[in-house]
Amino acid sequence: MIEILAVLGIPLIGASVLALVGDRRIAPTVNVTASFLTFAAATALTIRVITDGPLLVLNKQFFVDPFNVFLVALTAFVGFTTAIFSRPYMRIEHEHGRLTAARLRLYHSMYQLFNFTMLLALLTNNLGILWVAMEAATLTTVLLVSLYRTPASLEAAWKYFILCGVGIAQALFGTILLYFAAEKVLGAEGGALLWTELNSVKDQLEPTVLSLAFVFLLVGYGTKVGLVPLHNWLPDAHAEGPTPVSAVLSGLLLNVALYAVVRCKVLVDGALESAIAGTLMMGFGLLSVVVAAFLLSRQKDIKRLFAYSSIEHMGIITFAFGMGGPIANFAGLLHMTVHSLTKSAIFFAVGHAAQKSGTQLIDGIRGLITTSPAIGWGLALGTLAILGMPPFGVFASEFLILTTAIREQPWATPFLLLALGIAFASVFSKVQPMVFGETSGRRLPHRPAMLPVFVHLALVLMLGLWIPPFLADWYRQAAQLIG
């Protein structure tokens, strides 16, 4: 129990401290320290679950199993590396006058609060608290997206708030329907919103009510995942917010929202004899992959380009979980991991490139390999990784998903192959001149913080070549838990 309290308490305390000292010179160090301690607590929790099995503590309000503890560890790790990246990045933003002291304090405190809301959503056993945590994550990220207070950032924040607010309202209605179905079986005092209780009686729940509830839950939480046609907020939020926010939005928040959908899918699959939940997820996932792939070729802003790439990859993961089964679920979990690591690494490199070039426009960034070799190679390798080039881990997970689709859903395979081919051509054609193109710019004077980039890419490369046995067993157990 102490590990769960530490995972949740450290970012909450960090947010309180940074609300007071977030504009001082020690603030970045406090932010990194709090993030590191959270990661250490998540590591201790992971070891506890691997050793002792699933945990159900604090009057059944918190539940940890191999599925969510894997996401807790991933969230804490990326949160820690993003905090390291944000130290020099936000300092330069402050020196250039883009951020005042008050906004710097807001950034640091909201960053820790955002981590807390995501970890709470992952660890809670109560589907009502899960909804509250997702709503709190929305509110904290609205403040982060609007940090620059420019007309474009305020518009993006309002769009994010309105669209995700409507989506979360749909998820609330789905949660109420779920409670309505469970109350008849568990009773008003029987923990009708506790996932473990629902999972134990899922075959007794009313199928019609549960299928209707899943539709609302998929639309609601799917808005946060960025599934087409619920995706309009995502490119603007990524493009207009600070780059560290883009990294955690793309690498973490989308995973947490999809986690909520998958938890609900487990209940629906147990209550219904049909595969309606999986079919809906495959449909939304495939639509997201195809639409995002075609929209990639139209992008002129580098952060919007990789925002649409996130929509594409979340579509692939949703499609994998929709297919279900041990191999597809294993591949979906692996793709979650490598996408989070790779996409956050790309945003780190893109953030430095845009900051030092003075623009986010693709045409305005040229010859990074000359002006800053570390940024150039980081962006080039990250792009090859996210496009599924072997031997990176994204290739391994996409290959597993494609081969499973060929066997189980052959009708979808041509759409997946077409979308992946278009995405590859679109992204590579835009990034290649950014890295290797001719430039008249001088070598950049500031040394970028590229350690998080290459640590992430090294992990992705390792997962493409070799998955450690304990991690493979972890993925297998989680894949079995989700059906």
Side-chain angles (χ1 to χ4, degrees):
M1 185 175 78
I2 188 68
E3 294 91 346
I4 294 175
L5 293 176
V7 169
L8 295 176
I10 291 169
L12 199 57
I13 294 169
S16 303
V17 172
L18 288 166
L20 300 174
V21 302
D23 56 342
R24 299 180 186 176
R25 292 182 65 87
I26 63 168
T29 303
V30 173
N31 193 37
V32 171
T33 303
S35 300
F36 172 73
L37 292 175
T38 303
F39 174 56
T43 303
L45 179 63
T46 302
I47 294 170
R48 174 84 180 274
V49 171
I50 291 173
T51 304
D52 300 340
L55 302 176
L56 187 61
V57 297
L58 290 176
N59 196 27
K60 299 183 180 180
Q61 292 302 309
F62 293 98
F63 175 64
V64 193
D65 62 8
F67 179 32
N68 61 351
V69 81
F70 136 73
L71 286 170
V72 167
L74 180 63
T75 300
F77 175 72
V78 176
F80 170 52
T81 55
T82 304
I84 294 174
F85 160 74
S86 75
R87 285 187 69 182
Y89 183 88
M90 300 307 286
R91 186 187 71 242
I92 294 170
E93 294 290 273
H94 180 53
E95 290 174 356
H96 289 177
R98 297 195 70 192
L99 290 176
T100 63
R103 290 179 198 164
L104 204 58
R105 186 167 64 247
L106 177 67
Y107 165 77
H108 284 123
S109 58
M110 286 300 106
Y111 183 85
Q112 287 298 319
L113 194 60
F114 177 53
N115 281 340
F116 166 75
T117 58
M118 288 190 295
L119 292 168
L120 177 61
L122 291 171
L123 290 171
T124 183
N125 188 34
N126 191 309
L127 296 181
I129 296 177
L130 170 63
W131 180 87
V132 172
M134 292 300 298
E135 176 69 0
T138 301
L139 296 176
T140 54
T141 42
V142 163
L143 295 173
L144 289 169
V145 168
S146 64
L147 196 66
Y148 292 131
R149 298 295 191 272
T150 61
S153 67
L154 290 171
E155 180 185 348
W158 271 110
K159 183 185 288 188
Y160 174 41
F161 177 71
I162 292 170
L163 290 178
C164 288
V166 172
I168 287 292
Q170 306 296 313
L172 176 61
F173 188 62
T175 305
I176 292 170
L177 287 174
L178 199 60
Y179 176 82
F180 176 73
E183 188 186 16
K184 295 181 178 179
V185 178
L186 295 169
E189 302 299 325
L193 279 179
L194 298 180
W195 189 85
T196 49
E197 299 292 318
L198 289 165
N199 192 45
S200 64
V201 298
K202 58 188 177 185
D203 57 336
Q204 303 174 43
L205 300 177
E206 176 60 41
T208 306
V209 176
L210 221 62
S211 58
L212 184 61
F214 184 76
V215 172
F216 281 100
L217 289 164
L218 178 60
V219 171
Y221 291 129
T223 306
K224 298 284 287 185
V225 179
L227 298 177
V228 175
L230 315 165
H231 68 288
N232 286 331
W233 65 270
L234 196 148
D236 290 338
H238 281 63
E240 301 304 332
T243 301
V245 177
S246 303
V248 291
L249 273 176
S250 195
L252 301 179
L253 182 61
L254 307 187
N255 283 353
V256 176
L258 187 55
Y259 160 83
V261 174
V262 174
R263 282 290 195 199
C264 297
K265 176 181 180 289
V266 173
L267 301 177
V268 177
D269 285 344
L272 276 66
E273 295 182 0
S274 64
I276 183 173
T279 303
L280 285 171
M281 289 181 70
M282 282 192 292
F284 274 103
L286 194 60
L287 180 64
S288 301
V289 175
V290 173
V291 172
F294 280 100
L295 289 174
L296 280 167
S297 62
R298 298 169 57 88
Q299 303 311 309
K300 298 179 181 179
D301 182 297
I302 184 62
K303 289 174 72 175
R304 289 181 69 90
L305 177 76
F306 285 110
Y308 277 103
S309 172
S310 293
I311 295 171
E312 177 209 358
H313 284 279
M314 294 313 295
I316 293 172
I317 298 168
T318 303
F319 180 82
F321 286 135
M323 282 194 295
I327 298 176
N329 286 338
F330 183 98
L333 294 167
L334 178 60
H335 202 79
M336 261 186 169
T337 307
V338 293
H339 174 256
S340 293
L341 294 171
T342 308
K343 190 56 63 65
S344 53
I346 288 173
F347 274 114
F348 297 161
V350 164
H352 281 306
Q355 191 178 58
K356 295 177 180 182
S357 302
T359 180
Q360 291 181 191
L361 295 177
I362 294 171
D363 291 341
I365 305 173
R366 287 291 182 269
L368 288 173
I369 207 75
T370 302
T371 58
S372 182
I375 295 175
W377 281 113
L379 181 57
L381 292 173
T383 301
L384 290 175
I386 205 66
L387 291 176
M389 286 291 286
F392 290 102
V394 179
F395 169 78
S397 56
E398 286 184 348
F399 182 79
L400 281 173
I401 292 169
L402 277 170
T403 51
T404 307
I406 289 170
R407 186 179 76 249
E408 297 184 5
Q409 307 292 337
W411 61 271
T413 309
F415 295 103
L416 285 172
L417 289 172
L418 175 66
L420 290 174
I422 292 171
F424 186 99
S426 300
V427 175
F428 189 80
S429 64
K430 292 179 182 298
V431 173
Q432 189 272 336
M434 291 177 61
V435 176
F436 297 105
E438 293 293 329
T439 180
S440 58
R442 298 179 180 178
R443 192 178 179 88
L444 296 173
H446 299 288
R447 189 173 184 179
M450 296 300 291
L451 180 62
V453 176
F454 292 111
V455 168
H456 283 207
L457 294 178
L459 290 172
V460 174
L461 179 62
M462 181 194 76
L463 291 173
L465 297 171
W466 174 69
I467 302 176
F470 76 90
L471 190 60
D473 290 339
W474 196 3
Y475 285 148
R476 289 191 194 101
Q477 290 177 35
Q480 291 173 356
L481 286 171
I482 56 181

